[in-house]
Amino acid sequence: MKNPPSKPSQLITKEFAKQLNVNYNSKRASLAANKKQKEDANAIWYSIEELEKYIHYVKTQGAEEGYAVDGIRFYFGVYPEDEKLGEKAGMTTLFLVPTGKKVAKNETAKIQNFVEVEETSEDIQSLEPMNYGNIGRPPSLLY
């Protein structure tokens, strides 16, 4: 195989992933039992195509707005108790927000380049977050 992909530095073992999922499910189940609520979502799924489309969108739009997009922050949320949301009402969700640094064009040289204005990456508030993945069906969906 030519140029095999390099492994990301933030991979974890399958065993540790399972432990994290079991811990999450146990905590959420005990909270739901104490409040006599329905069992919560324990996984969110996004297609590769939608993730790639979102990454392309935020990189393109971010550049147009003067940002060097450098990541995506994942936030946990809970849908409002609204019957219009159907089975998602009151359930945990995960939404994505692009992060980046504001940049300024340096046009003094013959070749345009960009200079970072901000030192740290911040959420880019002008770009829409991504949500509406498919929720896991507890308790049948376990890692």
Side-chain angles (χ1 to χ4, degrees):
M1 174 169 33
K2 289 184 179 180
N3 298 329
S6 60
K7 282 188 174 184
S9 63
Q10 296 165 310
L11 297 179
I12 60 174
T13 65
K14 293 175 193 170
E15 294 77 19
F16 188 56
K18 183 174 180 108
Q19 180 185 358
L20 294 174
N21 187 245
V22 167
N23 292 348
Y24 178 81
N25 291 332
S26 297
K27 186 171 188 172
R28 294 301 295 166
S30 68
L31 289 173
N34 289 338
K35 295 181 180 180
K36 297 185 179 17
Q37 295 175 335
K38 61 184 174 184
E39 196 170 351
D40 202 357
N42 60 1
I44 310 292
W45 180 88
Y46 293 97
S47 72
I48 294 291
E49 181 182 347
E50 283 300 312
L51 289 171
E52 288 174 338
K53 193 184 305 184
Y54 186 66
I55 290 168
H56 178 71
Y57 164 76
V58 298
K59 287 173 86 173
T60 303
Q61 290 297 118
E64 286 181 17
E65 294 184 21
Y67 286 93
V69 176
D70 60 8
I72 295 177
R73 185 168 284 122
F74 292 76
Y75 283 96
F76 295 105
V78 175
Y79 289 108
E81 290 288 349
D82 184 339
E83 62 187 40
K84 293 177 197 168
L85 294 171
E87 65 182 356
K88 291 184 179 189
M91 300 294 269
T92 296
T93 189
L94 189 69
F95 60 95
L96 291 62
V97 176
T99 63
K101 298 176 183 175
K102 194 73 168 164
V103 294
K105 274 188 182 180
N106 180 359
E107 298 184 24
T108 57
K110 287 185 179 182
I111 300 174
Q112 287 187 2
N113 60 354
F114 294 91
V115 178
E116 291 179 357
V117 176
E118 296 176 353
E119 290 186 24
T120 59
S121 292
E122 300 290 334
D123 290 359
I124 303 174
Q125 298 293 323
S126 60
L127 299 178
E128 296 89 351
M130 180 175 168
N131 190 15
Y132 302 116
N134 293 322
I135 61 175
R137 300 285 181 261
S140 62
L141 184 60
L142 301 172
Y143 182 79

